[in-house]
Every structure is written in structure tokens, then in C-alpha cells.
Amino acid sequence: MSSDSALTSTKSAYVPTQEEEPPNPSTALLSFDTDSSDSTNPPQKSTTTILFITMVLVTCVALSAASAFAFLFFSSASSSASSNSLELTARPLNKLNHPVVLLISSDGFRFGYQFKTTTPNIHRLIANGTEAETGLIPVFPTLTFPNHYSIVTGLYPAYHGIINNHFVDPRTGEVFTMRSHEPKWWLGEPLWETLANHGLKAATYFWPGSEVHKGSWNCPKDFCMYYNGSVPFEERVDKVLSYFDFPADEIPMFLTLYFEDPDHQGHHVGPDDPQITEAVAGIDRMIGRLIDGLEKRGIFEEVNIIMVGDHGMVGTCDKKLIFLDDLTPWVGVPTEWVQSYTPVLAIRPPPGTAPSDVVAKMNEGLKSGKVENGNYLQVYLKEELPSRLHYFESDRIPPIVGLIEEGFKVEQKRTKRQECGGAHGYDNAVFSMRTIFIAHGPQFGRGRKVPSFENVQIYNLVTSILKIQGAPNNGSLTFPSSIILPAHQ
């Protein structure tokens, strides 16, 4: 764990919308001189009088029409404002006797997918809940395991240890894969462990790290599902709903639900294929199934649903490739040095080879103009990466890290293989890597939009709703107050 200086807080600035009042009507729209000095010219005076009376009548009619319009407009506005009044406190619970948070992940749900097709159920959550208006910002690298674990620990990957989907422990030589469940890999304290530490119930239907026996959490039978991608989405939803049939005191306070789509399709066809549209519609149907089940139990308005993705997606094609073998005139980068090619280039040279020399020579070649697409890759010593990435303080992170521009890929050598698909993992400042944050329930204002924020803030958001003390993390302790409604006093 790093020092306090490594912890960061995201401050959200809110700019209230101010409606301008209608301008005050002028008291001198027209100026009439009714006191004519020419008393010897009655016809002119009569004409002036008639004109004056006519203008007065016209003005009265105009003012009456304006008054009627104003009455209708402000009556409508008042009615609208009344029906969508700003909620000042959280809505009370009637059937549930404790707060509940259901955290849903739709893997690879890029921000904007919700507009690809008709998504009535997702938009119901948005219309009656709170949404990050321009999406949720993932952590770097924008990959599945690092981000899912950041969401539930509030830690950047350098601190929770899952620095990639696959990586090597430099001290032992052991390899981490997405099937590694040994607690030594998984640092920090995920939400299910936090609840277990407080003697509270949690239930996880798939989430990276949830199978790991760690601290007070032992992945209890029937409350912790070991990952099996073949389980139908409907079965997952129905299992989560079944927890709400328990006696009130036994309903878990925190639950997770995970769907592989639309990430699965995105890797094969990219973000703009009809398969993605179909997958998004499928996720919406699952949200509808969930809503229907909660409504039948009379608790839809009492469950705090937080729907997120872990990252976005961008299209890739083989014409956007960078080959390490093309750097041979400057420096050789053997295959055995490379721990990850794309979209995060991770290189660990052997002892005796200075990483700084490798970085200097690689960048010299990339900037020479003689390496195809070389200007789309920038190589860094990890300690010189932009600080906003928070990707340094872990010996699991190799000493050399390459940032690849959006949509490009790195490979070792040229092949005749041609393919187009989708990828993620790029710099989290790239907008295509953004995902969604949609929250609905008694703690969230209706129809509210909030600025984008990093997903490390979600841990404190959940612990605040559940009113429990969380573990130290990289999120801001004050952040939840900018998102959730305060409890009714």
C-alpha cells in the first residue's frame, strides 16, 4: 500500500442551472403627445385621439395575450417542477428492513451503447435514477480484471495487485491468470470481505476475485458462485432475485451480478457491428427481467441498483499494427522480454540490461519515421508514466510500459494474418474506453445527471449507502455525498 500522497480524490464540480427571468416589460414602449398646442386644427387632434385609442386597445390585447401565455407557461413549468421536485433526502424503506445494494456489471458496455437500440429498461433506470452524464471512467489499464477489482476495492491496480489480466510475479516467477484464486494475488479489501468483516451477508453471482477465500470471506455456498460462463443470463438474474425471498433479516445487503456481454461480441466484431446492437438489447432484456422480479416482490423502489461496465471498446484492424521486430536496427526486443503486447506493452528486460537504455533506443526508432506506425507508440520507464495513470507503485508492473494510441496494436513480427475486431486496455483518458454508471433506488435522485468520475469511487459509495466503515482506499471519503441523497433525519 502506498503512502497517503499516492491516494487521490476526485472532486466533482456542480454548476447549478439558472433559469433567466423574463425581462421586465418596458413602461415606455410608445410615447404619445396628447396635448397638442395647435387648437385651431380639430381634425388633426381627432385623428391623434383615434390613433391613441387604437394603439391603447392593441396594446391591451397584446398584453392580455402575453399574460395568458405567461400564465400557461409558468403554470406548466410549476407543475413540471412540482412533479420532478428536487429530492432532498433518501426515500424510506417499507418492506426491506435494511439498505441493499445490487451491483451489476455488463462487461465491455461502452458509453453510448445505450443509444444503439431501444433499451427501455436501462432508460427506465436512467430516467428515474442518477447517471454519469458522459460515462464512468475506468482505471488504467482499461482491462476486465484490473477494473472489476478496482470497482469493489476502491484501489488502483498498483495497490490491489491485479495489474493486468495476465502477469508474472517478478520474485517467484509465478504467472497470474484469470483462474488464479490464491489470496496472495488479490490485495486490498473487496466489498464482500468488508461486509463479512462486519458480520453482514453478501452474495456474489460472478465477479473477478469473489471466489478468493480471503479474510472473513470464504465464498459461502449458495452465496458465492464460481465462474461459469455457460450459465444462461436468465438463470443468473433469477438466482439473484431468489435472495429477496429470504426472511427480511437474511436478505444479503450487498449483491453482485455479472454479464459477459457485450464485451464478448466486441472483441470479435468491434463496437459498431449489428452483433453489438443485439447484445445490448439482450442486456436490456435482462435488466427488464430483474425489474419485473423486484416489482412482483414490491421492492423495486427499495433496492439500490448500481449498473456499471468495466471499460469501453474500440475497433481495431491489422493495418494499425506496430511490429517490435522493426526496431531491430536500434534495439532487439526478444519475445521472452515481453509480458504483454496489446493494448499495454509491458517489457521486463533481463538483469544486466538497463531498462532506461532500452526505452531510449526504442523511442529513437519509433520516432525515426522508419518504423511503420511508430509514432502511435510511446515507451516509458514506468516511473515516468503520466501520474494520472497511477500505474507505478507495484513491483508486479514491469519496468518498461508502452502506451499505444487508440485502435492500434503491437505485435512481435509481421504475419499475413488479416483480421478486424475490437480491443480495450488503452489509456483511460481515451473516451472510447468509458463505460456506464447508472444508479436507481431510494438513495439516488430521480432524473439526475452527475459529472464523470473514476470507478475507484464506487467502493466508498456502497459503504456509505450501507452505513458501514470501509477499508482504506484511493477513493474520496467525501465523494458519496455528491452522489447519494442524505438519510432522512
Side-chain angles (χ1 to χ4, degrees), residues 250-445:
E250 297 180 21
I251 295 175
M253 292 183 70
F254 175 70
L255 308 95
T256 70
L257 176 60
Y258 171 79
F259 303 115
E260 291 86 354
D261 292 354
D263 181 75
H264 174 72
Q265 295 83 357
H267 280 289
H268 291 291
V269 298
D272 302 313
D273 191 271
Q275 287 187 38
I276 294 296
T277 304
E278 183 179 342
V280 169
I283 293 298
D284 186 74
R285 287 192 295 272
M286 293 305 103
I287 298 301
R289 188 182 186 94
L290 176 70
I291 291 174
D292 288 345
L294 293 175
E295 284 187 323
K296 289 176 181 176
R297 292 164 173 81
I299 54 173
F300 172 55
E301 293 294 341
E302 299 193 25
V303 177
N304 293 286
I305 299 172
I306 299 176
M307 182 178 181
V308 300
D310 51 347
H311 53 71
M313 185 71 67
V314 68
T316 60
C317 272
D318 277 350
K319 66 180 180 180
K320 292 185 175 181
L321 292 178
I322 304 158
F323 302 100
L324 294 184
D325 281 358
D326 289 354
L327 290 170
T328 302
W330 293 270
V331 60
V333 183
T335 303
E336 57 268 24
W337 290 13
V338 183
Q339 295 190 358
S340 171
Y341 284 96
T342 292
V344 181
L345 178 61
I347 299 173
R348 189 180 294 278
T353 301
S356 58
D357 290 342
V358 176
V359 168
K361 292 174 181 177
M362 287 184 70
N363 282 328
E364 181 183 350
L366 292 168
K367 295 175 182 177
S368 68
K370 299 178 180 179
V371 174
E372 184 178 359
N373 296 322
N375 56 321
Y376 295 107
L377 169 64
Q378 176 71 43
V379 183
Y380 296 85
L381 291 172
K382 68 176 181 179
E383 60 267 25
E384 295 177 355
L385 283 165
S387 59
R388 60 180 174 77
L389 298 178
H390 306 281
Y391 200 65
F392 161 57
E393 294 197 42
S394 171
D395 59 2
R396 294 178 181 178
I397 302 172
I400 298 173
V401 177
L403 296 185
I404 306 165
E405 288 292 325
E406 178 184 22
F408 284 80
K409 298 169 67 176
V410 171
E411 294 186 359
Q412 185 71 39
K413 57 186 177 180
R414 295 178 181 275
T415 66
K416 294 182 179 180
R417 179 170 54 90
Q418 294 290 319
E419 68 174 34
C420 288
H424 53 89
Y426 301 95
D427 189 335
N428 64 344
V430 176
F431 197 82
S432 63
M433 294 298 101
R434 287 198 186 184
T435 182
I436 54 170
F437 173 88
I438 302 165
H440 179 282
Q443 292 277 176
F444 298 99

Side-chain angles (χ1 to χ4, degrees), residues 115-328:
F115 306 114
K116 273 187 168 292
T117 186
T118 302
T119 53
N121 301 298
I122 292 173
H123 275 86
R124 181 178 176 185
L125 298 182
I126 294 172
N128 297 289
T130 297
E131 178 190 30
E133 190 166 19
T134 52
L136 181 67
I137 303 171
V139 297
F140 178 83
T142 52
L143 298 169
T144 296
F145 268 50
N147 273 275
H148 273 95
Y149 206 52
S150 284
I151 289 169
V152 295
T153 61
L155 296 169
Y156 292 111
Y159 304 107
H160 65 52
I162 309 303
I163 56 100
N164 205 314
N165 287 340
H166 305 269
F167 59 90
V168 178
D169 185 321
R171 291 171 296 179
T172 65
E174 293 177 282
V175 178
F176 173 87
T177 73
M178 290 186 280
R179 294 185 178 182
S180 299
H181 296 151
E182 299 85 358
K184 64 183 178 182
W185 296 109
W186 306 82
L187 311 179
E189 183 180 293
L191 282 162
W192 45 81
E193 183 181 348
T194 299
L195 267 82
N197 289 342
H198 285 81
L200 302 172
K201 283 191 175 182
T204 58
Y205 208 117
F206 303 161
W207 199 279
S210 61
E211 303 102 323
V212 178
H213 292 218
K214 186 172 173 296
S216 301
W217 175 257
N218 62 356
C219 191
K221 184 180 179 182
D222 295 330
F223 288 88
C224 172
M225 304 299 155
Y226 279 77
Y227 180 71
N228 179 354
S230 66
V231 176
F233 290 175
E234 292 85 354
E235 184 176 328
R236 304 179 195 189
V237 172
D238 292 346
K239 177 64 175 180
V240 167
L241 287 170
S242 73
Y243 292 122
F244 293 98
D245 296 328
F246 288 9
D249 290 339
E250 297 180 21
I251 295 175
M253 292 183 70
F254 175 70
L255 308 95
T256 70
L257 176 60
Y258 171 79
F259 303 115
E260 291 86 354
D261 292 354
D263 181 75
H264 174 72
Q265 295 83 357
H267 280 289
H268 291 291
V269 298
D272 302 313
D273 191 271
Q275 287 187 38
I276 294 296
T277 304
E278 183 179 342
V280 169
I283 293 298
D284 186 74
R285 287 192 295 272
M286 293 305 103
I287 298 301
R289 188 182 186 94
L290 176 70
I291 291 174
D292 288 345
L294 293 175
E295 284 187 323
K296 289 176 181 176
R297 292 164 173 81
I299 54 173
F300 172 55
E301 293 294 341
E302 299 193 25
V303 177
N304 293 286
I305 299 172
I306 299 176
M307 182 178 181
V308 300
D310 51 347
H311 53 71
M313 185 71 67
V314 68
T316 60
C317 272
D318 277 350
K319 66 180 180 180
K320 292 185 175 181
L321 292 178
I322 304 158
F323 302 100
L324 294 184
D325 281 358
D326 289 354
L327 290 170
T328 302

Side-chain angles (χ1 to χ4, degrees), residues 470-484:
N473 61 83
N474 295 119
S476 165
L477 292 176
T478 61
F479 176 80
S481 63
S482 68
I483 297 288
I484 61 175

Side-chain angles (χ1 to χ4, degrees), residues 26-79:
S26 173
T27 57
L29 292 177
L30 293 174
S31 177
F32 297 101
D33 184 4
T34 59
D35 186 16
S36 174
S37 60
D38 189 357
S39 59
T40 62
N41 192 359
Q44 184 177 357
K45 181 174 182 179
S46 175
T47 302
T48 301
T49 301
I50 293 171
L51 179 61
F52 171 73
I53 294 171
T54 302
M55 293 302 293
V56 168
L57 290 173
V58 171
T59 301
C60 288
V61 171
L63 289 174
S64 297
S67 298
F69 175 79
F71 174 78
L72 292 173
F73 176 81
F74 287 110
S75 295
S76 175
S78 175
S79 174

